[in-house]
Amino acid sequence: MKNIKILLFAFVASIFASSCLVDDDVAREFDESPAVVGFKSEAVEESYFTDEGTILKEYKILLLGNGGDGTLPTEDITITYEIDASSTATEGQEFDFVDTSGQFTIPAGSTYASFPLNVNTGSLDAEQPTVLTLNLTGTTSDNAVVSANNSSLDITFIGCESTLGATTYNNPDAGSNVTFTPDPNNPVSYTVSALPYLTSGGNSIPFELVDICGEIKINTMVLGSYPLIGEGVVNPDGSVTINFALYQGGEVLFDFRNDPSTYFPN
């Protein structure tokens, strides 16, 4: 499995020269298809290690599809939500809702709504993360539905600092002097300069990982359109062990989940 290289192919769509006749009733039904709404992201991390008071955060819900006619909604789309039973974060401790109505609205003529949440930075657990999972349950509009693939958002509250202590690592599967660059806006998120086993055109492939209290999570896009998903751990000696899979179009392109690789601090 070593030294596998990604080959980028040019995919050309087939173009039909002949014209097609579409039944008027079918075309009308497509034009009247409902708008589709959903969360912009599946997961976000809120990391605070000192008491900075209550901080307002906002998460976007997007108009992912606007029916068959391509126009913006001419009426408000009100979306309902609920807390998933699996959530470990507690209202009144890690967070507070700004609006307790259980719904929010994408205004007419707009492509998104912002869901506000107050994060209580002084109440985050300093030893383990907690998670608030929000599920979109429906809309009050006959002209909009919730996306099956974008209906949930995991908000992880992190009160424990990253355990990564070095910025330069050595990984035999990715090359020497691999750098871990911290995100200035998220102190537990890092951009890693090289991916084990895989290169593109002989060049290293950078990716992002998050250190959540010593547990590594990977969910990032590489090469513009390939989802990279994996997990790992920060070891007692400071090294980082990960396993991952690279996807294309929802299918596994390269699978290294049973072949973990370790970055050793220099």
Side-chain angles (χ1 to χ4, degrees), residues 124-179:
L124 306 190
D125 195 314
E127 295 183 359
Q128 63 181 10
T130 57
V131 180
L132 168 64
T133 299
L134 298 174
N135 295 328
L136 303 182
T137 56
T139 76
T140 61
S141 171
D142 293 334
N143 297 320
V145 297
V146 172
S147 168
N149 297 322
N150 302 80
S151 62
S152 294
L153 170 65
D154 290 332
I155 305 173
T156 302
F157 302 98
I158 306 171
C160 42
E161 296 189 55
S162 172
T163 55
L164 296 177
T167 56
T168 306
Y169 292 75
N170 178 50
N171 182 308
D173 302 312
S176 60
N177 295 324
V178 178
T179 58

Side-chain angles (χ1 to χ4, degrees), residues 40 54 83 87 146 162 165 169 203 208 252:
K40 178 181 180 180
T54 299
I83 299 176
S87 297
V146 172
S162 172
Y169 292 75
N203 298 316
E208 296 178 2
V252 175

Side-chain angles (χ1 to χ4, degrees), residues 8-166:
L8 301 180
F9 297 95
F11 295 95
V12 180
S14 298
I15 300 175
F16 295 95
S18 60
S19 61
C20 298
L21 297 177
V22 180
D23 183 86
D24 287 342
D25 291 336
V26 174
R28 187 180 306 113
E29 181 180 353
F30 180 74
D31 286 345
E32 294 174 357
S33 60
V36 180
V37 298
F39 284 112
K40 178 181 180 180
S41 304
E42 295 181 354
V44 294
E45 296 83 31
E46 300 296 353
S47 308
Y48 297 95
F49 315 124
T50 58
D51 187 352
E52 300 181 24
T54 299
I55 294 181
L56 176 66
K57 306 294 290 189
E58 294 184 328
Y59 312 99
K60 284 189 175 181
I61 298 86
L62 304 180
L63 185 66
L64 301 172
N66 52 348
D69 59 4
T71 61
L72 295 176
T74 57
E75 62 179 21
D76 292 350
I77 299 176
T78 301
I79 305 163
T80 56
Y81 70 91
E82 65 182 9
I83 299 176
D84 193 272
S86 65
S87 297
T88 55
T90 303
E91 183 179 2
Q93 184 168 324
E94 292 95 335
F95 70 93
D96 286 293
F97 290 116
V98 175
D99 183 340
T100 58
S101 66
Q103 61 186 31
F104 49 86
T105 299
I106 296 179
S110 179
T111 59
Y112 72 94
S114 293
F115 177 79
L117 192 74
N118 282 325
V119 178
N120 303 321
T121 63
S123 300
L124 306 190
D125 195 314
E127 295 183 359
Q128 63 181 10
T130 57
V131 180
L132 168 64
T133 299
L134 298 174
N135 295 328
L136 303 182
T137 56
T139 76
T140 61
S141 171
D142 293 334
N143 297 320
V145 297
V146 172
S147 168
N149 297 322
N150 302 80
S151 62
S152 294
L153 170 65
D154 290 332
I155 305 173
T156 302
F157 302 98
I158 306 171
C160 42
E161 296 189 55
S162 172
T163 55
L164 296 177

Side-chain angles (χ1 to χ4, degrees), residues 219-249:
N219 190 347
T220 183
M221 299 293 287
V222 298
L223 298 174
S225 60
Y226 295 87
L228 180 71
I229 300 174
E231 59 186 13
V233 65
V234 181
N235 301 305
D237 63 357
S239 62
V240 180
T241 299
I242 65 169
N243 57 71
F244 61 91
L246 189 67
Y247 292 77
Q248 181 186 39

